[in-house]
Amino acid sequence: MAINESALQPAANLQSTNGSMALFSEADRLNDKAYALLDEPVSTHTIHKFTEAKKRADEKYRQAWQEWRHTKGKNAR
């Protein structure tokens, strides 16, 4: 019996969309965590921790956008 690949595509797109949504949620969490560091007294150590945490959040946002664009591209076919 042949598998109709087009019938499987909506499920794959939903899974990919859920994956990008999870990445955006994680990025938001990391971003919130980074900005929470600014509640600490300002010091070079605090600024360093914030900068590193913000880099992690920004990288996660980049991954999320990449996954979202990849999913969007698959839906356009």
Side-chain angles (χ1 to χ4, degrees):
M1 178 175 171
I3 296 175
N4 181 353
E5 289 186 27
S6 64
L8 298 176
Q9 190 159 359
N13 286 342
L14 180 59
Q15 184 178 13
S16 187
T17 299
N18 287 343
S20 66
M21 287 173 51
L23 288 169
F24 278 116
S25 292
E26 177 65 6
D28 287 341
R29 187 189 71 75
L30 291 170
N31 199 54
D32 290 345
K33 189 175 176 180
Y35 278 96
L37 291 168
L38 297 179
D39 290 337
E40 296 179 11
V42 176
S43 69
T44 55
H45 182 68
T46 301
I47 298 302
H48 177 73
K49 288 191 321 186
F50 168 78
T51 301
E52 292 303 311
K54 186 68 172 119
K55 283 180 188 176
R56 286 190 296 275
D58 290 346
E59 175 59 21
K60 195 59 71 170
Y61 279 122
R62 188 196 65 73
Q63 291 172 6
W65 277 110
Q66 186 176 12
E67 179 66 25
W68 180 82
R69 283 191 306 265
H70 178 74
T71 300
K72 185 178 175 186
K74 283 198 277 185
N75 288 336
R77 292 182 201 160

PDB file of all heavy atoms in Angstrom, residues 16-47:
ATOM      1  N   SER A  16       6.221  20.962  13.072  1.00  0.00           N
ATOM      2  CA  SER A  16       7.245  21.979  12.853  1.00  0.00           C
ATOM      3  C   SER A  16       6.821  23.319  13.440  1.00  0.00           C
ATOM      4  O   SER A  16       7.619  24.033  14.039  1.00  0.00           O
ATOM      5  CB  SER A  16       7.517  22.107  11.356  1.00  0.00           C
ATOM      6  OG  SER A  16       8.611  22.950  11.131  1.00  0.00           O
ATOM      7  N   THR A  17       5.545  23.667  13.281  1.00  0.00           N
ATOM      8  CA  THR A  17       5.016  24.903  13.863  1.00  0.00           C
ATOM      9  C   THR A  17       5.107  24.844  15.378  1.00  0.00           C
ATOM     10  O   THR A  17       5.514  25.819  16.028  1.00  0.00           O
ATOM     11  CB  THR A  17       3.557  25.137  13.424  1.00  0.00           C
ATOM     12  OG1 THR A  17       3.522  25.249  12.000  1.00  0.00           O
ATOM     13  CG2 THR A  17       2.983  26.384  14.049  1.00  0.00           C
ATOM     14  N   ASN A  18       4.740  23.710  15.962  1.00  0.00           N
ATOM     15  CA  ASN A  18       4.854  23.550  17.414  1.00  0.00           C
ATOM     16  C   ASN A  18       6.304  23.673  17.852  1.00  0.00           C
ATOM     17  O   ASN A  18       6.582  24.228  18.914  1.00  0.00           O
ATOM     18  CB  ASN A  18       4.278  22.202  17.857  1.00  0.00           C
ATOM     19  CG  ASN A  18       2.767  22.169  17.786  1.00  0.00           C
ATOM     20  OD1 ASN A  18       2.108  23.195  17.714  1.00  0.00           O
ATOM     21  ND2 ASN A  18       2.210  20.972  17.788  1.00  0.00           N
ATOM     22  N   GLY A  19       7.224  23.179  17.029  1.00  0.00           N
ATOM     23  CA  GLY A  19       8.643  23.291  17.352  1.00  0.00           C
ATOM     24  C   GLY A  19       9.098  24.741  17.378  1.00  0.00           C
ATOM     25  O   GLY A  19       9.817  25.155  18.287  1.00  0.00           O
ATOM     26  N   SER A  20       8.666  25.532  16.398  1.00  0.00           N
ATOM     27  CA  SER A  20       9.066  26.942  16.389  1.00  0.00           C
ATOM     28  C   SER A  20       8.399  27.695  17.530  1.00  0.00           C
ATOM     29  O   SER A  20       9.014  28.572  18.145  1.00  0.00           O
ATOM     30  CB  SER A  20       8.768  27.609  15.039  1.00  0.00           C
ATOM     31  OG  SER A  20       7.397  27.688  14.783  1.00  0.00           O
ATOM     32  N   MET A  21       7.165  27.347  17.859  1.00  0.00           N
ATOM     33  CA  MET A  21       6.485  27.984  18.990  1.00  0.00           C
ATOM     34  C   MET A  21       7.220  27.674  20.296  1.00  0.00           C
ATOM     35  O   MET A  21       7.375  28.556  21.144  1.00  0.00           O
ATOM     36  CB  MET A  21       5.028  27.525  19.082  1.00  0.00           C
ATOM     37  CG  MET A  21       4.143  28.117  17.996  1.00  0.00           C
ATOM     38  SD  MET A  21       2.458  27.450  17.963  1.00  0.00           S
ATOM     39  CE  MET A  21       1.941  27.625  19.646  1.00  0.00           C
ATOM     40  N   ALA A  22       7.695  26.451  20.434  1.00  0.00           N
ATOM     41  CA  ALA A  22       8.447  26.069  21.637  1.00  0.00           C
ATOM     42  C   ALA A  22       9.757  26.858  21.707  1.00  0.00           C
ATOM     43  O   ALA A  22      10.161  27.300  22.790  1.00  0.00           O
ATOM     44  CB  ALA A  22       8.723  24.568  21.638  1.00  0.00           C
ATOM     45  N   LEU A  23      10.403  27.051  20.560  1.00  0.00           N
ATOM     46  CA  LEU A  23      11.637  27.834  20.537  1.00  0.00           C
ATOM     47  C   LEU A  23      11.375  29.293  20.905  1.00  0.00           C
ATOM     48  O   LEU A  23      12.134  29.897  21.660  1.00  0.00           O
ATOM     49  CB  LEU A  23      12.299  27.752  19.158  1.00  0.00           C
ATOM     50  CG  LEU A  23      12.954  26.419  18.817  1.00  0.00           C
ATOM     51  CD1 LEU A  23      13.328  26.361  17.332  1.00  0.00           C
ATOM     52  CD2 LEU A  23      14.183  26.189  19.673  1.00  0.00           C
ATOM     53  N   PHE A  24      10.277  29.870  20.387  1.00  0.00           N
ATOM     54  CA  PHE A  24       9.928  31.246  20.755  1.00  0.00           C
ATOM     55  C   PHE A  24       9.628  31.350  22.247  1.00  0.00           C
ATOM     56  O   PHE A  24      10.042  32.313  22.903  1.00  0.00           O
ATOM     57  CB  PHE A  24       8.726  31.754  19.950  1.00  0.00           C
ATOM     58  CG  PHE A  24       9.079  32.261  18.587  1.00  0.00           C
ATOM     59  CD1 PHE A  24       8.598  31.639  17.454  1.00  0.00           C
ATOM     60  CD2 PHE A  24       9.875  33.382  18.430  1.00  0.00           C
ATOM     61  CE1 PHE A  24       8.909  32.105  16.192  1.00  0.00           C
ATOM     62  CE2 PHE A  24      10.202  33.868  17.174  1.00  0.00           C
ATOM     63  CZ  PHE A  24       9.714  33.227  16.046  1.00  0.00           C
ATOM     64  N   SER A  25       8.934  30.370  22.800  1.00  0.00           N
ATOM     65  CA  SER A  25       8.639  30.380  24.235  1.00  0.00           C
ATOM     66  C   SER A  25       9.919  30.311  25.063  1.00  0.00           C
ATOM     67  O   SER A  25      10.062  31.026  26.061  1.00  0.00           O
ATOM     68  CB  SER A  25       7.722  29.213  24.606  1.00  0.00           C
ATOM     69  OG  SER A  25       6.452  29.389  24.042  1.00  0.00           O
ATOM     70  N   GLU A  26      10.827  29.460  24.645  1.00  0.00           N
ATOM     71  CA  GLU A  26      12.109  29.348  25.346  1.00  0.00           C
ATOM     72  C   GLU A  26      12.900  30.648  25.228  1.00  0.00           C
ATOM     73  O   GLU A  26      13.516  31.105  26.197  1.00  0.00           O
ATOM     74  CB  GLU A  26      12.919  28.165  24.800  1.00  0.00           C
ATOM     75  CG  GLU A  26      14.281  27.999  25.404  1.00  0.00           C
ATOM     76  CD  GLU A  26      14.283  27.647  26.890  1.00  0.00           C
ATOM     77  OE1 GLU A  26      13.213  27.410  27.483  1.00  0.00           O
ATOM     78  OE2 GLU A  26      15.380  27.623  27.478  1.00  0.00           O
ATOM     79  N   ALA A  27      12.879  31.259  24.053  1.00  0.00           N
ATOM     80  CA  ALA A  27      13.563  32.539  23.859  1.00  0.00           C
ATOM     81  C   ALA A  27      12.973  33.610  24.776  1.00  0.00           C
ATOM     82  O   ALA A  27      13.709  34.389  25.386  1.00  0.00           O
ATOM     83  CB  ALA A  27      13.477  32.971  22.397  1.00  0.00           C
ATOM     84  N   ASP A  28      11.648  33.637  24.878  1.00  0.00           N
ATOM     85  CA  ASP A  28      10.991  34.596  25.778  1.00  0.00           C
ATOM     86  C   ASP A  28      11.417  34.370  27.227  1.00  0.00           C
ATOM     87  O   ASP A  28      11.693  35.319  27.966  1.00  0.00           O
ATOM     88  CB  ASP A  28       9.468  34.491  25.678  1.00  0.00           C
ATOM     89  CG  ASP A  28       8.904  35.072  24.401  1.00  0.00           C
ATOM     90  OD1 ASP A  28       9.603  35.879  23.731  1.00  0.00           O
ATOM     91  OD2 ASP A  28       7.752  34.736  24.066  1.00  0.00           O
ATOM     92  N   ARG A  29      11.477  33.093  27.622  1.00  0.00           N
ATOM     93  CA  ARG A  29      11.886  32.759  28.988  1.00  0.00           C
ATOM     94  C   ARG A  29      13.313  33.231  29.254  1.00  0.00           C
ATOM     95  O   ARG A  29      13.602  33.848  30.283  1.00  0.00           O
ATOM     96  CB  ARG A  29      11.761  31.251  29.220  1.00  0.00           C
ATOM     97  CG  ARG A  29      12.009  30.827  30.665  1.00  0.00           C
ATOM     98  CD  ARG A  29      12.093  29.317  30.808  1.00  0.00           C
ATOM     99  NE  ARG A  29      13.300  28.763  30.229  1.00  0.00           N
ATOM    100  CZ  ARG A  29      14.520  28.840  30.774  1.00  0.00           C
ATOM    101  NH1 ARG A  29      14.698  29.474  31.908  1.00  0.00           N
ATOM    102  NH2 ARG A  29      15.555  28.295  30.187  1.00  0.00           N
ATOM    103  N   LEU A  30      14.209  32.959  28.300  1.00  0.00           N
ATOM    104  CA  LEU A  30      15.602  33.370  28.448  1.00  0.00           C
ATOM    105  C   LEU A  30      15.730  34.896  28.465  1.00  0.00           C
ATOM    106  O   LEU A  30      16.530  35.455  29.222  1.00  0.00           O
ATOM    107  CB  LEU A  30      16.461  32.784  27.324  1.00  0.00           C
ATOM    108  CG  LEU A  30      16.661  31.272  27.361  1.00  0.00           C
ATOM    109  CD1 LEU A  30      17.324  30.791  26.071  1.00  0.00           C
ATOM    110  CD2 LEU A  30      17.464  30.853  28.582  1.00  0.00           C
ATOM    111  N   ASN A  31      14.930  35.567  27.655  1.00  0.00           N
ATOM    112  CA  ASN A  31      14.952  37.029  27.613  1.00  0.00           C
ATOM    113  C   ASN A  31      14.476  37.612  28.950  1.00  0.00           C
ATOM    114  O   ASN A  31      15.092  38.541  29.481  1.00  0.00           O
ATOM    115  CB  ASN A  31      14.075  37.515  26.460  1.00  0.00           C
ATOM    116  CG  ASN A  31      14.378  38.920  26.050  1.00  0.00           C
ATOM    117  OD1 ASN A  31      15.515  39.260  25.758  1.00  0.00           O
ATOM    118  ND2 ASN A  31      13.354  39.755  26.032  1.00  0.00           N
ATOM    119  N   ASP A  32      13.397  37.053  29.481  1.00  0.00           N
ATOM    120  CA  ASP A  32      12.896  37.503  30.788  1.00  0.00           C
ATOM    121  C   ASP A  32      13.950  37.292  31.877  1.00  0.00           C
ATOM    122  O   ASP A  32      14.155  38.156  32.745  1.00  0.00           O
ATOM    123  CB  ASP A  32      11.616  36.765  31.171  1.00  0.00           C
ATOM    124  CG  ASP A  32      10.422  37.159  30.317  1.00  0.00           C
ATOM    125  OD1 ASP A  32      10.495  38.191  29.613  1.00  0.00           O
ATOM    126  OD2 ASP A  32       9.420  36.422  30.348  1.00  0.00           O
ATOM    127  N   LYS A  33      14.626  36.155  31.803  1.00  0.00           N
ATOM    128  CA  LYS A  33      15.666  35.840  32.784  1.00  0.00           C
ATOM    129  C   LYS A  33      16.825  36.839  32.679  1.00  0.00           C
ATOM    130  O   LYS A  33      17.355  37.293  33.696  1.00  0.00           O
ATOM    131  CB  LYS A  33      16.164  34.414  32.536  1.00  0.00           C
ATOM    132  CG  LYS A  33      17.076  33.864  33.577  1.00  0.00           C
ATOM    133  CD  LYS A  33      17.390  32.396  33.272  1.00  0.00           C
ATOM    134  CE  LYS A  33      18.387  31.852  34.252  1.00  0.00           C
ATOM    135  NZ  LYS A  33      18.718  30.449  33.996  1.00  0.00           N
ATOM    136  N   ALA A  34      17.178  37.195  31.456  1.00  0.00           N
ATOM    137  CA  ALA A  34      18.250  38.169  31.251  1.00  0.00           C
ATOM    138  C   ALA A  34      17.873  39.518  31.855  1.00  0.00           C
ATOM    139  O   ALA A  34      18.656  40.113  32.610  1.00  0.00           O
ATOM    140  CB  ALA A  34      18.558  38.321  29.761  1.00  0.00           C
ATOM    141  N   TYR A  35      16.670  39.999  31.555  1.00  0.00           N
ATOM    142  CA  TYR A  35      16.271  41.313  32.059  1.00  0.00           C
ATOM    143  C   TYR A  35      16.052  41.310  33.570  1.00  0.00           C
ATOM    144  O   TYR A  35      16.226  42.343  34.220  1.00  0.00           O
ATOM    145  CB  TYR A  35      15.054  41.840  31.298  1.00  0.00           C
ATOM    146  CG  TYR A  35      15.473  42.464  29.996  1.00  0.00           C
ATOM    147  CD1 TYR A  35      15.435  41.739  28.808  1.00  0.00           C
ATOM    148  CD2 TYR A  35      15.970  43.758  29.955  1.00  0.00           C
ATOM    149  CE1 TYR A  35      15.856  42.300  27.619  1.00  0.00           C
ATOM    150  CE2 TYR A  35      16.398  44.329  28.767  1.00  0.00           C
ATOM    151  CZ  TYR A  35      16.330  43.599  27.598  1.00  0.00           C
ATOM    152  OH  TYR A  35      16.766  44.154  26.425  1.00  0.00           O
ATOM    153  N   ALA A  36      15.720  40.166  34.136  1.00  0.00           N
ATOM    154  CA  ALA A  36      15.591  40.075  35.591  1.00  0.00           C
ATOM    155  C   ALA A  36      16.932  40.335  36.276  1.00  0.00           C
ATOM    156  O   ALA A  36      16.967  40.826  37.408  1.00  0.00           O
ATOM    157  CB  ALA A  36      15.046  38.711  35.994  1.00  0.00           C
ATOM    158  N   LEU A  37      18.015  40.034  35.582  1.00  0.00           N
ATOM    159  CA  LEU A  37      19.347  40.297  36.137  1.00  0.00           C
ATOM    160  C   LEU A  37      19.576  41.787  36.373  1.00  0.00           C
ATOM    161  O   LEU A  37      20.367  42.174  37.232  1.00  0.00           O
ATOM    162  CB  LEU A  37      20.430  39.752  35.211  1.00  0.00           C
ATOM    163  CG  LEU A  37      20.523  38.230  35.109  1.00  0.00           C
ATOM    164  CD1 LEU A  37      21.423  37.829  33.951  1.00  0.00           C
ATOM    165  CD2 LEU A  37      21.017  37.639  36.421  1.00  0.00           C
ATOM    166  N   LEU A  38      18.865  42.624  35.628  1.00  0.00           N
ATOM    167  CA  LEU A  38      19.040  44.068  35.776  1.00  0.00           C
ATOM    168  C   LEU A  38      18.397  44.593  37.057  1.00  0.00           C
ATOM    169  O   LEU A  38      18.594  45.762  37.408  1.00  0.00           O
ATOM    170  CB  LEU A  38      18.501  44.797  34.552  1.00  0.00           C
ATOM    171  CG  LEU A  38      19.217  44.471  33.238  1.00  0.00           C
ATOM    172  CD1 LEU A  38      18.584  45.242  32.084  1.00  0.00           C
ATOM    173  CD2 LEU A  38      20.705  44.757  33.336  1.00  0.00           C
ATOM    174  N   ASP A  39      17.666  43.730  37.762  1.00  0.00           N
ATOM    175  CA  ASP A  39      17.127  44.103  39.066  1.00  0.00           C
ATOM    176  C   ASP A  39      18.202  44.044  40.152  1.00  0.00           C
ATOM    177  O   ASP A  39      18.019  44.578  41.237  1.00  0.00           O
ATOM    178  CB  ASP A  39      15.958  43.191  39.460  1.00  0.00           C
ATOM    179  CG  ASP A  39      14.730  43.429  38.611  1.00  0.00           C
ATOM    180  OD1 ASP A  39      14.604  44.543  38.047  1.00  0.00           O
ATOM    181  OD2 ASP A  39      13.900  42.515  38.501  1.00  0.00           O
ATOM    182  N   GLU A  40      19.312  43.371  39.824  1.00  0.00           N
ATOM    183  CA  GLU A  40      20.430  43.288  40.765  1.00  0.00           C
ATOM    184  C   GLU A  40      21.176  44.626  40.768  1.00  0.00           C
ATOM    185  O   GLU A  40      21.074  45.402  39.804  1.00  0.00           O
ATOM    186  CB  GLU A  40      21.395  42.175  40.341  1.00  0.00           C
ATOM    187  CG  GLU A  40      20.797  40.786  40.389  1.00  0.00           C
ATOM    188  CD  GLU A  40      21.773  39.701  39.944  1.00  0.00           C
ATOM    189  OE1 GLU A  40      22.986  39.979  39.784  1.00  0.00           O
ATOM    190  OE2 GLU A  40      21.311  38.567  39.745  1.00  0.00           O
ATOM    191  N   PRO A  41      21.932  44.887  41.811  1.00  0.00           N
ATOM    192  CA  PRO A  41      22.752  46.110  41.815  1.00  0.00           C
ATOM    193  C   PRO A  41      23.683  46.124  40.596  1.00  0.00           C
ATOM    194  O   PRO A  41      24.240  45.100  40.214  1.00  0.00           O
ATOM    195  CB  PRO A  41      23.556  46.007  43.110  1.00  0.00           C
ATOM    196  CG  PRO A  41      22.744  45.101  43.989  1.00  0.00           C
ATOM    197  CD  PRO A  41      22.062  44.132  43.063  1.00  0.00           C
ATOM    198  N   VAL A  42      23.823  47.289  39.986  1.00  0.00           N
ATOM    199  CA  VAL A  42      24.634  47.406  38.780  1.00  0.00           C
ATOM    200  C   VAL A  42      26.119  47.240  39.128  1.00  0.00           C
ATOM    201  O   VAL A  42      26.628  47.885  40.044  1.00  0.00           O
ATOM    202  CB  VAL A  42      24.397  48.773  38.098  1.00  0.00           C
ATOM    203  CG1 VAL A  42      25.310  48.932  36.894  1.00  0.00           C
ATOM    204  CG2 VAL A  42      22.945  48.905  37.688  1.00  0.00           C
ATOM    205  N   SER A  43      26.733  46.332  38.405  1.00  0.00           N
ATOM    206  CA  SER A  43      28.175  46.098  38.538  1.00  0.00           C
ATOM    207  C   SER A  43      28.659  45.521  37.217  1.00  0.00           C
ATOM    208  O   SER A  43      27.851  45.130  36.366  1.00  0.00           O
ATOM    209  CB  SER A  43      28.462  45.105  39.678  1.00  0.00           C
ATOM    210  OG  SER A  43      28.010  43.810  39.319  1.00  0.00           O
ATOM    211  N   THR A  44      29.959  45.459  37.050  1.00  0.00           N
ATOM    212  CA  THR A  44      30.486  44.860  35.819  1.00  0.00           C
ATOM    213  C   THR A  44      30.095  43.391  35.734  1.00  0.00           C
ATOM    214  O   THR A  44      29.818  42.886  34.645  1.00  0.00           O
ATOM    215  CB  THR A  44      32.018  45.013  35.730  1.00  0.00           C
ATOM    216  OG1 THR A  44      32.615  44.456  36.902  1.00  0.00           O
ATOM    217  CG2 THR A  44      32.422  46.465  35.581  1.00  0.00           C
ATOM    218  N   HIS A  45      30.031  42.721  36.881  1.00  0.00           N
ATOM    219  CA  HIS A  45      29.626  41.310  36.891  1.00  0.00           C
ATOM    220  C   HIS A  45      28.169  41.162  36.441  1.00  0.00           C
ATOM    221  O   HIS A  45      27.851  40.273  35.645  1.00  0.00           O
ATOM    222  CB  HIS A  45      29.830  40.721  38.288  1.00  0.00           C
ATOM    223  CG  HIS A  45      29.489  39.264  38.367  1.00  0.00           C
ATOM    224  ND1 HIS A  45      30.227  38.296  37.728  1.00  0.00           N
ATOM    225  CD2 HIS A  45      28.474  38.625  38.995  1.00  0.00           C
ATOM    226  CE1 HIS A  45      29.677  37.108  37.962  1.00  0.00           C
ATOM    227  NE2 HIS A  45      28.615  37.287  38.734  1.00  0.00           N
ATOM    228  N   THR A  46      27.292  42.020  36.934  1.00  0.00           N
ATOM    229  CA  THR A  46      25.879  41.974  36.559  1.00  0.00           C
ATOM    230  C   THR A  46      25.720  42.245  35.063  1.00  0.00           C
ATOM    231  O   THR A  46      24.976  41.535  34.376  1.00  0.00           O
ATOM    232  CB  THR A  46      25.067  43.015  37.356  1.00  0.00           C
ATOM    233  OG1 THR A  46      25.215  42.746  38.742  1.00  0.00           O
ATOM    234  CG2 THR A  46      23.599  42.975  36.986  1.00  0.00           C
ATOM    235  N   ILE A  47      26.417  43.249  34.566  1.00  0.00           N
ATOM    236  CA  ILE A  47      26.342  43.579  33.139  1.00  0.00           C
ATOM    237  C   ILE A  47      26.867  42.422  32.298  1.00  0.00           C
ATOM    238  O   ILE A  47      26.281  42.081  31.261  1.00  0.00           O
ATOM    239  CB  ILE A  47      27.121  44.881  32.829  1.00  0.00           C
ATOM    240  CG1 ILE A  47      26.506  46.063  33.589  1.00  0.00           C
ATOM    241  CG2 ILE A  47      27.165  45.155  31.333  1.00  0.00           C
ATOM    242  CD1 ILE A  47      25.044  46.314  33.285  1.00  0.00           C
TER     243      ILE A  47
END
